[in-house]
Amino acid sequence: GRLATTGAAMRAAVSDAIRASGAGGVSLEGLDPMWLLRFDDERRQDRFLALAREEGVLFKRGAYDFASLAHDEEAIAAIGRAARVALEKLA
C-alpha cells in the first residue's frame, strides 16, 4: 500500500509539472508504482532527460520509472521541481 501511495504522489508531481509547464508532446502513462513519460519526439526526450539531470533528478529513458519506499516527501518534491524546470525549458 505504501509503495502505491508513493508512486501516486510521484505521478501526481510529474503530472502537475506537465500541466504547469504547458509543454506539449509529452504524456504520463503506466501504473502508480511504475510509470513512464512518453515524448512524441526523441530529441525532446533527450533534452528533457539532460535538463532534469542538471536539476539533480534522473528519469529513465523508455521503460518505467519505479517508485521506491526510499522516496520520501523531499524526494517527491525534487522530482516534481526537476520535471517542471526541464519541461518549462522545453516549452
Side-chain angles (χ1 to χ4, degrees), residues 7 10-11 19 21 23 25 27 33 37 39-40 46 49 51-53 63 65 76-77 86-88:
M10 290 173 69
R11 279 188 67 167
R19 266 193 307 281
S21 72
S27 60
L37 285 166
F39 287 82
D40 64 358
D46 291 344
L49 294 172
L51 290 166
R53 187 177 59 241
D65 289 287
I76 293 167
L87 289 165
E88 286 174 350

Side-chain angles (χ1 to χ4, degrees), residues 1-84:
R2 188 168 147 223
L3 189 59
T5 300
T6 299
M10 290 173 69
R11 279 188 67 167
V14 175
S15 180
D16 291 348
I18 292 170
R19 266 193 307 281
S21 72
V26 59
S27 60
L28 188 59
E29 301 177 10
L31 306 172
D32 287 343
M34 48 186 258
W35 50 271
L36 66 111
L37 285 166
R38 187 172 307 278
F39 287 82
D40 64 358
D41 181 325
E42 192 171 329
R43 288 173 294 157
R44 290 184 77 231
Q45 178 183 2
D46 291 344
R47 184 70 181 134
F48 168 81
L49 294 172
L51 290 166
R53 187 177 59 241
E54 289 174 8
E55 296 300 316
V57 174
L58 296 174
F59 289 91
K60 284 181 68 179
R61 175 184 313 283
Y64 296 103
D65 289 287
F66 292 94
S68 166
L69 297 179
H71 288 115
D72 58 12
E73 289 181 20
E74 185 178 325
I76 293 167
I79 290 166
R81 272 191 309 276
R84 188 187 74 248

